[in-house]
């Protein structure tokens, strides 16, 4: 039986000259912690302030502690015959070995690093620091940075990983050991080797092919027990019927027999999702719901799908683009290549474990820690799957298609809709397509019809030519592409001469809009994509959103999408009383203040608002402004969540929900794609009005249709985005929020009056100095 000595050391610093000030040891035998040891150690020097702040250990405390020579026999006895284990074993082992050597002895033990094992055997976690793991895995870590507490938590981590290894299919664990042998530090693979001997559990719930095991798919019977009576369905769900929700549902039902597309403008927060699902399902329809983002897809699947299954027997299925799924055919081939480097080998081991756990095969589930996009790209699905392939029965993409055929509600996102509606006509025919938050189709459809090429990827193909003529052509092409005003004809001629077909393909239509953005050459037709022409004739379509009219005089939105035959209905918004909107009139002039100056201003105001003691969402219109403000807050030692650094939006939201009075700095995706519904009281800070830049391709296209694109498109769109942002923190009647806008342009110009007038139909907007906003917010939120 192998015995593990799990060790943690606290030290005077993290440098190579550091000295031990505390040592903790937990002995693990047969999957149990059998013995512990802890002592302070006198380093014979004063401790730095930051070490005391981190560990709680004081200079006075260690002055009373024994010298290392006094406790060395006891430590040696504890470690005798053990394997040395630590979380980042290199630091702890080297420090202890150096200390032994300074006292005339030596340390020579096999070593195991729990960080490396955790990255493999908990493949979906965001962070692998001991505190983070302790929180997620409940590791009994009561006193972080106290040596024995850290050692005890690490020992619990080791035990959990041993249990997980022993419960994996033997074919998977043996393949992991094969990759671990030469790629994990020191003797870390010995833990896997030991558990392989006892990994004998039967896995009737799994499909095993060679060294890959996946969960067997489960297909439940689809029953649609939703009644035609809307009120009866709400009663079964124990939900109250709301006036606006009822009006919306009645419009949905009345328009169901229309062959024309149905546009419905309805305010946020009235319960539209329940209304359209209950109405359409009550009429026996199979429904495809398209939402703007993957985060909203996940919310539907997490929040509503289980309820509809439990109450009505209705199956939901989620579909993403093929690239979001793993290709088991690609991955199985990668397993047998051995020259990819240590990190890639760890990635392979991580995927082997993840495949035994995932029900979806969606690559977003895999931890981004030490996971290069190159690794993920190497195993992305292409949609090419055929019966007879080795892993066909396990293939997540084809299983997703099967589940969608067995579902009454299929949940997709707008990007998938734009990508697949033309070439997967049969998926949409004879169903109801409901496009939620349809106003966001513009940008997604625009991306779908753009062509693009990375210039550097093309130039690298020709830079090695030795011909002087071709060198001059490359130099001339590079120069032309660097100009602000592109000469399309010259670029086309040079690219043709050099055989750069990807560039000439982007430039094939001289009437297109053509521009450079971040070293990418892009082109787009001069008009909007005709979405109407993409919809199969046998498909009934609803397009719903909070603001679809765009213009005060006509419903422009449907026409821009190519619809000539449509109905347009509006559910008027009620005045919102559980949310206050303030504009800080003493904010600086954004157009005259430097980016750093504005970041310092925002940092100061966020620190003031923090004193109110409520969770705070701060929304930015640019990544640069967010980063500068984040740095200013860091310099002021303010704790916050940086959405751009954390990554996946659903993980960001979860972290925000878990922390008490957290501050979240978010960029564009948080204006329109994530709902904050868990908090009873919130602060929302709008750092800048969300105007599109004049060079935005949609603005340029709109300019060809209307005399004043700024007033007819940019102002309504910015107003819509403000309302969407307000709605992100107003998901329940019982929820209260205070919105503070730090862009005083909203208090001034002609266009601002138009925005305030539109906002004023729903919100009470107050223009006050910041100090008064603080007072009013304190009163409102209590």
């Amino acid at each position: 039986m192998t015995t593990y000595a799990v060790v943690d050391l606290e030290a005077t610093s993290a440098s190579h000259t550091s000295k031990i000030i505390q040592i903790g040891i937990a002995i693990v035998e047969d999957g149990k912690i059998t013995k512990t040891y802890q002592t302070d150690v006198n380093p014979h020097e004063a401790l730095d302030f930051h070490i005391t702040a981190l560990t709680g250990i004081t200079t006075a405390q260690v002055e009373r502690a024994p010298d290392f020579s006094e406790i060395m026999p006891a430590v040696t006895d504890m470690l005798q015959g053990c394997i040395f284990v630590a979380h980042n074993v290199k630091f702890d082992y080297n420090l202890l070995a150096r200390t032994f050597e300074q006292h005339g002895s030596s340390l020579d033990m096999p070593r195991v690093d729990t960080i490396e094992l955790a990255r493999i055997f908990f493949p979906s976690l965001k962070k692998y620091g001991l505190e983070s793991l302790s929180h997620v895995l409940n590791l009994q870590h009561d006193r972080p940075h106290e040596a024995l507490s850290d050692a005890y938590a690490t020992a619990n981590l080791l035990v959990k990983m041993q249990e997980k290894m022993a419960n994996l299919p033997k074919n998977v664990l043996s393949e992991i050991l094969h990759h671990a042998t030469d790629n994990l530090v020191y003797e870390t693979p010995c833990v896997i080797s030991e558990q392989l001997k006892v990994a004998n559990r039967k896995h009737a719930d799994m499909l095993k092919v060679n060294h890959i095991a996946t969960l067997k798919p489960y297909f439940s019977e689809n029953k649609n027990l939703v009644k035609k009576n809307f009120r009866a369905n709400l009663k079964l769900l124990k939900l109250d019927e709301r006036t606006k929700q009822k009006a919306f549902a009645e419009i949905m039902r009345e328009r169901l027999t229309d062959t024309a597309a149905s546009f419905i403008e309805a305010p946020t927060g009235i319960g539209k999702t329940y209304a359209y699902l209950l109405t359409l399902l009550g009429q026996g329809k199979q429904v495809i719901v398209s939402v703007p983002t993957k985060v909203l897809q996940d919310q539907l699947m997490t929040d509503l799908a289980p309820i509809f299954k439990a109450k009505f027997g209705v199956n939901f299925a989620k579909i993403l683009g093929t690239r979001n799924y793993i290709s088991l055919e690609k991955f199985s081939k990668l397993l047998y290549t051995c020259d990819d480097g240590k990190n890639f080998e760890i990635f392979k081991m991580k995927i082997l474990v993840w495949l035994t756990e995932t029900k979806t095969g969606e690559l977003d589930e895999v931890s981004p820690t030490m996971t290069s996009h190159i690794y993920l790209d190497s195993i992305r699905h292409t949609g090419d799957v055929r019966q007879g392939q080795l892993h066909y029965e396990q293939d997540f993409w084809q299983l997703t298609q099967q589940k969608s055929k067995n579902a009454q509600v299929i949940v997709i996102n707008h990007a998938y809709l734009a990508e697949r509606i033309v070439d997967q006509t049969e998926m949409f025919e004879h169903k109801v397509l409901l496009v939620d938050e349809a106003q966001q189709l513009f940008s997604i459809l625009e991306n779908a019809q753009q062509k693009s090429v990375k210039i550097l990827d093309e130039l690298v193909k020709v830079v090695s030519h030795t011909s002087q003529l071709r060198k001059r052509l490359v130099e001339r092409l590079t120069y032309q592409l660097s100009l602000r005003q592109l000469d399309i004809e010259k670029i086309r001629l040079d690219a043709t001469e050099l055989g750069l077909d990807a560039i000439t393909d982007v430039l094939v239509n001289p009437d297109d809009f053509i521009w450079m953005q971040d070293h990418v050459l892009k082109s787009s037709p001069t008009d909007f994509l005709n979405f109407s022409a993409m919809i199969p004739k046998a498909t009934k379509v609803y397009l719903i959103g909070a603001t679809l009219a765009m213009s005060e005089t006509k419903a422009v939105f449907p026409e821009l999408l190519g619809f000539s035959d449509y109905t347009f209905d509006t559910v008027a918004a009620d005045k919102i009383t559980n949310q206050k909107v303030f504009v800080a009139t003493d904010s600086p002039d954004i157009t005259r203040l430097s980016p750093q100056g504005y970041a310092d201003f925002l940092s100061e105001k966020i620190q003031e608002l923090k004193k109110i003691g409520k969770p705070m969402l701060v929304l930015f219109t640019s990544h640069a402004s967010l980063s500068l403000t984040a740095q200013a807050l860091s310099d002021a030692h303010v704790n916050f969540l940086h959405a751009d650094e954390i990554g996946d939006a659903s993980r960001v939201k979860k972290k925000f929900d878990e922390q008490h009075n957290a501050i979240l700095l978010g960029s564009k995706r948080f204006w329109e794609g994530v709902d904050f519904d868990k908090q009873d009281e919130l602060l929302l800070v709008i750092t800048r009005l969300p105007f599109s830049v004049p060079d935005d391709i949609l603005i340029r296209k709109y300019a060809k249709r209307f005399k004043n694109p700024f007033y007819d498109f940019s102002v309504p769109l910015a107003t819509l985005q403000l309302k969407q942002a307000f709605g992100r923190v107003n998901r329940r009647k019982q929820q209260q929020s205070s919105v503070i806008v730090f862009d005083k342009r909203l208090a001034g110009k002609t266009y601002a009056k138009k925005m305030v007038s539109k906002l004023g139909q729903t919100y009470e907007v107050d223009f006050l100095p910041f100090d008064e906003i603080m007072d009013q917010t304190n009163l409102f939120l209590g």
Side-chain angles (χ1 to χ4, degrees), residues 600-665:
D600 291 339
F601 164 78
L602 290 173
S603 171
E604 177 189 327
K605 296 308 177 189
I606 290 168
Q607 291 176 67
E608 286 293 311
L609 288 166
K610 184 175 183 290
K611 296 174 184 176
I612 294 174
K614 305 295 179 186
M616 190 187 323
L617 173 63
V618 187
L619 294 181
F620 293 80
T621 59
S622 80
H623 296 287
S625 181
L626 190 159
S627 296
L628 287 171
T629 307
Q631 186 58 56
L633 287 169
S634 294
D635 293 343
H637 306 292
V638 176
N639 292 323
F640 60 89
L641 301 173
H642 190 314
D644 287 355
E645 290 184 353
I646 296 174
D648 180 70
S650 59
R651 286 175 175 157
V652 175
K653 179 184 181 299
K654 184 178 180 182
K655 207 168 184 65
F656 183 75
D657 291 343
E658 289 172 347
Q659 293 188 13
H660 179 66
N661 295 342
I663 299 173
L664 171 59
L665 310 186

Side-chain angles (χ1 to χ4, degrees), residues 484-722:
R484 183 174 179 81
Q485 188 68 38
L486 300 177
D487 189 325
I488 304 304
E489 190 55 34
K490 287 183 179 179
I491 293 171
R492 185 186 292 108
L493 287 172
D494 289 345
T496 302
E497 188 73 21
L498 289 165
L500 299 176
D501 295 337
I503 292 179
T504 55
D505 182 56
V506 171
L507 306 176
V508 70
N509 189 345
D511 295 327
D512 286 352
F513 287 117
I514 298 168
W515 71 103
M516 284 284 291
Q517 181 180 339
D518 299 328
H519 306 294
V520 177
L521 183 66
K522 296 185 176 185
S523 69
S524 177
T526 55
D527 209 346
F528 299 92
L529 188 62
N530 189 337
F531 180 63
S532 172
M534 301 165 68
I535 300 170
K537 289 184 179 178
T539 302
K540 170 61 184 177
V541 61
Y542 290 89
L543 298 101
I544 65 175
T547 302
L548 300 181
M550 299 297 287
S551 166
E552 299 290 343
T553 56
K554 61 186 296 190
V556 175
F557 186 91
E559 295 175 11
L560 293 177
L561 293 175
F563 290 95
S564 55
D565 183 20
Y566 62 89
T567 60
F568 196 101
D569 295 285
T570 300
V571 178
D574 285 330
K575 279 278 189 181
I576 288 175
T577 57
N578 63 330
Q579 190 171 50
K580 294 281 189 182
V581 179
F582 301 102
V583 180
T585 54
D586 52 353
S587 298
D589 185 341
I590 291 175
T591 61
R592 298 190 178 188
L593 198 62
S594 70
Q596 184 60 60
Y598 193 54
D600 291 339
F601 164 78
L602 290 173
S603 171
E604 177 189 327
K605 296 308 177 189
I606 290 168
Q607 291 176 67
E608 286 293 311
L609 288 166
K610 184 175 183 290
K611 296 174 184 176
I612 294 174
K614 305 295 179 186
M616 190 187 323
L617 173 63
V618 187
L619 294 181
F620 293 80
T621 59
S622 80
H623 296 287
S625 181
L626 190 159
S627 296
L628 287 171
T629 307
Q631 186 58 56
L633 287 169
S634 294
D635 293 343
H637 306 292
V638 176
N639 292 323
F640 60 89
L641 301 173
H642 190 314
D644 287 355
E645 290 184 353
I646 296 174
D648 180 70
S650 59
R651 286 175 175 157
V652 175
K653 179 184 181 299
K654 184 178 180 182
K655 207 168 184 65
F656 183 75
D657 291 343
E658 289 172 347
Q659 293 188 13
H660 179 66
N661 295 342
I663 299 173
L664 171 59
L665 310 186
S667 52
K668 181 173 172 55
R669 57 190 169 148
F670 290 91
W671 287 78
E672 54 197 27
V674 184
D675 293 337
F676 294 89
D677 55 348
K678 305 299 183 190
Q679 297 77 12
D680 291 328
E681 297 172 324
L682 289 101
L683 295 171
L684 171 64
V685 174
I686 303 294
T687 59
R688 194 177 187 119
L689 297 180
F691 284 118
S692 300
V693 296
D695 286 340
D696 187 292
I697 189 64
L698 290 174
I699 297 290
R700 294 167 70 184
K701 290 188 175 186
Y702 206 83
K704 295 178 70 69
R705 292 283 198 96
F706 296 90
K707 291 179 180 178
N708 196 328
F710 180 73
Y711 277 90
D712 291 339
F713 184 78
S714 293
V715 170
L717 189 62
T719 308
L720 165 63
Q721 289 183 316
L722 280 175

